[in-house]
């Protein structure tokens, strides 16, 4: 099962290290990912992956709406990404004989 939390409403001072410090007391953290805005380089959201589902559940209960450097965090279970199926390729039959830029189809000359 998924043991990853989604954290939003991050303050500007958010780093991987201070998220590990804040969320560490709830369990063993396997990975922290902080996404930043392309233009401003400010943190926008984070994913924190725990070793167990119980640790993840405890962190949601303890950190959702908690004050983190002056902002109330929004913490929830991370949803799995939906992968779009590959587009189907539609092959239509050709209408009539192939004709190139030179006119009708060419074949051997019959006399």
């Amino acid at each position: 099962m998924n043991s990853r939390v989604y954290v939003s409403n991050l303050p500007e001072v958010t780093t991987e290290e201070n998220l590990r410090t804040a969320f560490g007391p709830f369990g063993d953290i396997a990975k922290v990912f902080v996404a930043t805005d392309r233009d401003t380089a400010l943190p926008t959201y984070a994913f924190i992956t725990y070793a167990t589902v119980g640790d993840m559940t405890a962190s949601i209960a303890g950190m959702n709406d908690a004050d983190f450097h002056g902002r109330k965090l929004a913490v929830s279970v991370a949803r799995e990404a939906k992968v779009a199926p590959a587009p189907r390729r539609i092959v239509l039959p050709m209408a009539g004989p192939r004709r190139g830029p030179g006119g009708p189809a060419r074949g051997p000359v019959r006399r």
Side-chain angles (χ1 to χ4, degrees):
M1 185 175 173
N2 181 18
S3 61
R4 194 168 59 152
V5 296
Y6 173 76
V7 185
S8 60
N9 199 31
L10 299 173
E12 294 179 9
V13 297
T14 302
T15 64
E16 181 181 325
E17 293 78 30
N18 61 20
L19 283 175
R20 279 187 185 274
T21 301
F23 283 81
F26 300 100
D28 185 29
I29 295 176
K31 183 178 177 182
V32 175
F33 171 76
V34 179
T36 57
D37 183 85
R38 287 185 192 178
D39 298 328
T40 62
L42 295 175
T44 54
Y45 62 90
F47 288 110
I48 300 173
T49 306
Y50 283 93
T52 67
V53 175
D55 296 343
M56 174 204 64
T57 305
S59 73
I60 292 171
M63 292 300 290
N64 189 39
D65 286 331
D67 183 65
F68 181 71
H69 297 277
R71 305 272 306 260
K72 285 195 179 263
L73 295 179
V75 183
S76 61
V77 176
R79 290 183 281 152
E80 293 296 321
K82 291 183 181 180
V83 178
R88 291 184 2 164
R89 197 169 156 210
I90 299 174
V91 179
L92 300 175
M94 300 212 32
R98 287 188 161 183
R99 300 179 192 275
R106 301 195 185 230
V109 178
R110 293 188 182 146
R111 293 186 188 219

